[in-house]
Amino acid sequence: MMRVTWATDQGSPARPNEDFVATALGAAVVLDGMSIDMDLETGCVHGRPWYVGQLATRLLAGLLDHGLSPAAALAQAITETAAAHGGRCDLSHPWTPATTVVALRVRDQAADYLVLSDSTLLLDQGGRVTALTADGSGFAAADPRVAGRALTGSVPLPELRRAALLTDGATRAVDAFGLADWPQTLATLGERGPAALIEQVREAERSDPDGRRWPRHKRHDDATVAYCEFPAP
């Protein structure tokens, strides 16, 4: 059994939230759409939030098919989303919508995971916390072959106590600001929930609005967290 709670927060009222979270019985996905200047042409008439939502829901459906590996489910979702553009978009455009991906699904006695680009997956296996983040290359866009670059694996379900799927806007307290570590992040999620973790990041950002203490490209970024608990039988 996997119990999931989640929260997402828009980084700026001037642009839509390009993160997306989707959950179903035994699976969760979190995506972080690649942000670019709002004035740049992308070749897509639909926009990045549409693309991220389309890919996320198709990936979630694929993960529920236990005959597909997470990488195969992602490749299938990318192919289906490309077709959903309906031939109206230039998917070869260098700024065609793209996204990071982190996914987790439960099957039998294992939990399968996938991480593509710089979102983070935290796994708590009996008190041993592991943070999994792929490099910044290979954003999911329109080429299903990118699924082969994802970090994938499985962990025994009986060992797994907690997990968290986080976009980089939600991990700033650890990897950008140095205000917490990964075990403390999971503790905050367990005690106060995903919205409280995001608010912790927002408080730090508001304390340094000009980026003097913590230089960064955006004052606030979209932030999304899905927190998963695995109660002991």
Side-chain angles (χ1 to χ4, degrees):
M1 177 181 177
M2 181 170 76
R3 182 185 303 134
V4 183
T5 55
W6 60 270
T8 186
D9 187 62
Q10 187 176 353
S12 167
R15 59 189 304 146
N17 190 341
E18 294 169 353
D19 286 0
F20 199 95
V21 58
T23 69
L25 185 62
V29 300
V30 167
L31 279 66
D32 177 2
M34 180 182 66
S35 295
I36 61 172
D37 191 300
M38 295 289 285
D39 295 328
L40 281 177
E41 172 60 43
T42 67
C44 177
V45 301
H46 301 97
R48 290 180 297 278
W50 176 90
Y51 166 79
V52 174
Q54 291 285 317
L55 184 62
T57 52
R58 286 174 165 81
L59 173 56
L60 184 67
L63 290 171
L64 297 178
D65 179 356
H66 292 180
L68 292 177
S69 68
L74 177 58
Q76 175 178 281
I78 292 172
T79 299
E80 292 174 349
T81 302
H85 285 271
R88 300 170 60 198
C89 307
D90 177 10
L91 302 184
S92 66
H93 193 284
W95 294 114
T96 193
T99 183
T100 73
V101 181
V102 58
L104 185 68
R105 69 120 180 253
V106 172
R107 60 168 179 83
D108 301 325
Q109 292 299 304
D112 302 324
Y113 61 81
L114 178 147
V115 184
L116 181 68
S117 199
D118 60 1
S119 289
T120 297
L121 174 66
L122 300 181
L123 300 173
D124 178 359
Q125 295 172 261
R128 178 169 59 88
V129 176
T130 303
L132 300 172
T133 304
D135 62 43
S137 64
F139 282 76
D143 185 350
R145 292 175 297 180
V146 76
R149 301 179 189 172
L151 177 64
T152 61
S154 300
V155 296
L157 190 57
E159 296 179 4
L160 193 58
R161 292 293 172 261
R162 299 177 295 177
L165 297 73
L166 309 98
T167 63
D168 63 349
T171 61
R172 282 182 166 185
V174 177
D175 55 20
F177 304 158
L179 299 176
D181 58 23
W182 298 124
Q184 289 169 335
T185 298
L186 281 174
T188 297
L189 288 169
E191 294 165 8
R192 301 170 57 201
L197 179 68
I198 294 174
E199 179 55 26
Q200 184 182 81
V201 173
R202 296 295 186 237
E203 288 177 1
E205 292 168 336
R206 288 191 292 267
S207 75
D208 180 41
D210 299 321
R212 294 182 180 180
R213 181 179 180 185
W214 300 302
R216 54 196 189 273
H217 295 297
K218 301 178 187 176
R219 179 179 296 179
H220 307 289
D221 195 5
D222 298 336
T224 301
V225 181
Y227 175 61
C228 309
E229 294 179 298
F230 301 85

